[in-house]
Amino acid sequence: MKRFLSRSNSLMSFIQPNLTLIRDQIAKVKSEKLVRLVAVSKTKPHSYIEAAYEAGQHVFGENYINELHEKSHALEHLTDIKWHFIGNLQKKNCPKTNSVQELGCC
């Protein structure tokens, strides 16, 4: 079932329960030490990422290198945020990954 934001709901009241539900489901299957939850922030605005970060989600994935580059710089004030690039990367875009701090691999 999809949930949509309405004007009366804050981002946090939308994101926090969903993160809790997902973490509970992960805990039922495996130890959280063996699973890394990567929130895919594809096409989402900075405000959504910041709300998820405040709710305890600190690992995010992007599949567009330009968005990853832009978001990682715009959100560098979030001190322990981690980024993952998801998908294929063209050779011409490889240099853009060098400026992304906390870029990890899955």
Side-chain angles (χ1 to χ4, degrees):
M1 178 175 105
K2 284 189 173 182
R3 294 179 64 189
F4 296 96
L5 290 174
S6 69
R7 290 184 181 175
S8 63
N9 291 339
S10 71
L11 284 174
M12 189 61 76
S13 67
F14 174 74
I15 291 173
Q16 182 66 54
N18 286 309
L19 275 174
T20 301
L21 177 66
I22 292 166
R23 288 182 179 135
D24 289 347
Q25 290 173 346
I26 290 170
K28 288 178 184 176
V29 178
K30 292 184 176 183
S31 166
E32 285 190 59
K33 293 180 182 178
L34 302 174
V35 177
R36 176 181 296 137
L37 177 61
V38 178
V40 179
S41 57
K42 176 181 172 180
T43 72
K44 300 297 181 238
H46 299 165
S47 59
Y48 282 41
I49 298 167
E50 288 176 320
Y53 181 89
E54 291 299 318
Q57 179 62 36
H58 293 186
V59 183
F60 296 88
E62 267 298 332
N63 68 331
Y64 295 121
I65 190 62
N66 291 331
E67 279 197 44
L68 172 63
H69 185 262
E70 187 272 327
K71 287 176 182 177
S72 68
H73 289 283
L75 299 170
E76 60 187 10
H77 63 280
L78 304 176
T79 56
D80 61 344
I81 194 168
K82 306 270 189 273
W83 293 99
H84 289 267
F85 182 75
I86 303 166
N88 298 321
L89 182 63
Q90 295 176 336
K91 186 177 179 180
K92 68 180 183 180
N93 289 322
C94 287
K96 290 181 182 177
T97 62
N98 292 334
S99 67
V100 177
Q101 294 195 10
E102 298 298 330
L103 180 61
C105 298
C106 293

